[in-house]
Amino acid sequence: MFQNETRLYRGVHIKFEWALILAALLLCTVGLCMIYSATSPMGQAGKVLVIKQVTWCSLGLILMALFLLFDYNVLEKWAIWIYVLAIVALIAVWGLGKVTAGSKRWMEIGFMRFQPSEFAKLAVVIILAKYFHMRSRTGEDDLKHLVTTLGLAGLPAFLVALQPDLGTAGVIMLVASSMILFGGVGRKALMWLGGAIAVSVPILVLVGEHLLMDYQKKRLMTYLNPGYDPLGSGYHIIQSQIAIGSGGLLGKGFLEGTQNQLMFLPVKHTDFIFSILAEELGFVGCAAVLGLFAFLFLRGLDLAEKARDTFGVFLAFGCVTILFWHVVINVGMVMGMFPVVGVPLSFLSYGGSSLLASFLSIAIMVNVGMRRFSY
C-alpha cells in the first residue's frame, strides 16, 4: 500500500504541468507591465491600481496552489451547490451590488470587491461537466439533452444580461455551446435548435430597441458604422485602432506609447489593454502574447483528451473555452471586428475577479493533468 501511494505521488509529481503554470505567470507579468504603463500617467492613483493587481495575482497563486492539493472530482460532488451559489450571488447583485457606469455587476464584502459573473462562468462549466458525465452513463435523448444544457447555461446568462452585461452573458452561452458541440448533438436536435434561432432572431430585433440601453444601442451603431459618433461612443474604438496601427513591427517602446501616455485611449488598463500592448511592443509583442495563449489552449485540449474520466474531459475543455472566448472577443473588440462589450483579456486586463477566475481555470486544467494516471 505504501509503495503504491509512493508511485502515485511520484506519478503526480512527474506529470505536474509546470509549463502551463509558467505560461500563465508570463502572461500575468506582461499584464502587470502593461497596467503599469497604462496607469503611469495617473500618478499615485495608478500606482494603487498596480499594487492591487499584484495583490490579486498573489491571491490567485495561493488559490491555485490550494486547489491542486485536492482531486478535481471534489468539484463533481459539489457541482450543484457551486451552481446554486453562483445563481444566488447573481441575484444578490440586484440588491447588494454597486452601480458602476450604469450597471450593477460588483459586490463588496468587507474590503473585497468582486464580480460574481466572472465566477458564474466556472460554475456553468462545472455543472455542465457533471451533466455530460452523467449523460455518458444514461444515454439521454439528444433533444432533452440540448434543452437541459441550454437551460443550465441560460439561467445565469439571463441574470448576467439583466445587470446589464451582454458581453459576459454572451461568453457564458459561447462556452456552453462549445461544450455542447464538443459532446456531440444529433441531427434532430440541431434542426430544432436552428429553427428556434431562426424564430427568435426577428423577435429579438423587434424588441431589442426596448430591451437595450442607450449606450448599448450606440455601441452597435458604432460597430456597424465606426464614424457614427467619433467623439462619443466611437471614440474608444477609433483611438484603439490608432494605437494598434501606430505600434508597427516592434512598437514604440515601453512607456513610450503616445495614445497611452497622452491619455487619448480611455479604460486602457481594463478592456483596451491589448491596444497598449500593440502600441508599445508592436506586432512582435502581440504575436508573443497570442502565442502564449495558443500554448495554453493547445495544452489544455491535450489534457482534456488524456483525462481519466468524462468529467475531467469536459471540465478541462470548458476551462479552455473560457480563456479562448475571452481572448477572441477582447482582441476582436479592440480591433473593431466585434462590438465593444466590455470583455476583459484574461491575465492581462486589470481586475481581481477576472484574474482569479483565470487562475482557477488554469488550476483546474493542471489538476486534471496531474491526476490523469491516478486510480
Side-chain angles (χ1 to χ4, degrees):
M1 179 66 180
F2 178 78
Q3 292 179 344
N4 290 337
E5 289 177 352
T6 303
R7 285 199 298 268
L8 175 60
Y9 173 79
R10 289 177 178 172
V12 170
H13 179 74
I14 292 172
K15 299 300 178 182
F16 194 81
E17 297 295 327
W18 291 108
L20 201 60
I21 295 177
L22 179 60
L25 288 175
L26 287 174
L27 286 169
C28 191
T29 301
V30 173
L32 288 172
C33 292
M34 291 300 102
I35 292 171
Y36 176 80
S37 178
T39 58
S40 59
M42 300 165 59
Q44 185 61 34
K47 294 179 181 179
V48 171
L49 293 177
V50 174
I51 292 172
K52 284 184 177 180
Q53 190 72 356
V54 171
T55 303
W56 284 113
C57 181
S58 302
L59 181 58
L61 289 172
I62 293 172
L63 287 177
M64 182 169 63
L66 291 176
F67 179 73
L68 294 180
L69 297 176
F70 303 93
D71 192 304
Y72 65 86
N73 279 284
V74 70
L75 295 177
E76 182 182 9
K77 298 177 182 178
W78 290 92
I80 295 176
W81 293 109
I82 293 173
Y83 180 78
V84 170
L85 181 61
I87 297 298
V88 171
L90 292 175
I91 295 174
V93 170
W94 296 345
L96 304 176
K98 300 295 181 180
V99 179
T100 304
S103 301
K104 270 192 175 184
R105 305 178 188 177
W106 290 268
M107 292 179 61
E108 291 186 2
I109 299 179
F111 65 93
M112 294 183 62
R113 187 171 184 251
F114 70 101
Q115 192 172 350
S117 58
E118 290 294 333
F119 303 100
K121 301 168 193 173
L122 285 171
V124 168
V125 166
I126 293 169
I127 194 67
L128 289 183
K130 177 180 177 67
Y131 174 76
F132 278 107
H133 184 50
M134 294 172 58
R135 179 177 178 258
S136 66
R137 300 173 178 175
T138 60
E140 187 178 271
D141 176 70
D142 274 343
L143 186 56
K144 181 181 178 182
H145 155 67
L146 183 62
V147 172
T148 303
T149 49
L150 289 178
L152 288 171
L155 177 57
F158 174 73
L159 294 174
V160 171
L162 290 179
Q163 294 179 356
D165 186 356
L166 296 181
T168 301
V171 170
I172 291 174
M173 293 309 298
L174 285 171
V175 169
S177 299
S178 301
M179 294 180 70
I180 291 170
L181 293 175
F182 180 71
V185 181
R187 182 180 299 178
K188 180 181 177 181
L190 284 177
M191 290 178 63
W192 275 99
L193 179 61
I197 293 175
V199 171
S200 62
V201 168
I203 297 175
L204 290 175
V205 171
L206 291 174
V207 303
E209 183 177 353
H210 304 287
L211 294 178
L212 295 178
M213 300 183 71
D214 289 339
Y215 77 90
Q216 292 172 327
K217 296 176 186 177
K218 289 181 179 179
R219 283 180 176 179
L220 288 175
M221 290 298 297
T222 301
Y223 169 66
L224 297 173
N225 179 16
Y228 165 72
D229 187 12
L231 297 179
S233 59
Y235 183 79
H236 292 69
I237 190 61
I238 291 173
Q239 297 302 320
S240 174
Q241 290 173 333
I242 292 173
I244 293 173
S246 65
L249 180 63
L250 299 176
K252 297 178 178 179
F254 184 59
L255 298 176
E256 298 296 330
T258 53
Q259 297 299 111
N260 173 23
Q261 297 301 317
L262 297 179
M263 301 291 285
F264 285 112
L265 186 61
V267 293
K268 51 188 177 176
H269 61 295
T270 54
D271 297 342
F272 288 85
I273 196 71
F274 189 80
S275 304
I276 306 301
L277 175 72
E279 183 180 31
E280 298 193 351
L281 301 184
F283 175 81
V284 173
C286 292
V289 167
L290 293 178
L292 285 173
F293 276 119
F295 171 79
L296 288 183
F297 304 151
L298 294 174
R299 189 59 192 145
L301 291 176
D302 183 62
L303 293 176
E305 180 186 11
K306 297 176 180 178
R308 72 186 187 196
D309 53 26
T310 308
F311 178 70
V313 170
F314 281 96
L315 195 60
F317 179 80
C319 289
V320 171
T321 59
I322 289 177
L323 299 176
F324 173 80
W325 286 116
H326 271 262
V327 173
V328 170
I329 294 174
N330 181 274
V331 173
M333 177 184 74
V334 301
M335 294 175 65
M337 299 172 64
F338 300 138
V340 177
V341 290
V343 173
L345 183 58
S346 299
F347 292 111
L348 270 72
S349 292
Y350 173 82
S353 298
S354 173
L355 188 60
L356 289 183
S358 298
F359 269 117
L360 287 174
S361 296
I362 295 296
I364 289 173
M365 287 189 279
V366 173
N367 202 315
V368 171
M370 284 173 60
R371 293 174 170 83
R372 62 184 182 269
F373 298 114
S374 305
Y375 293 96

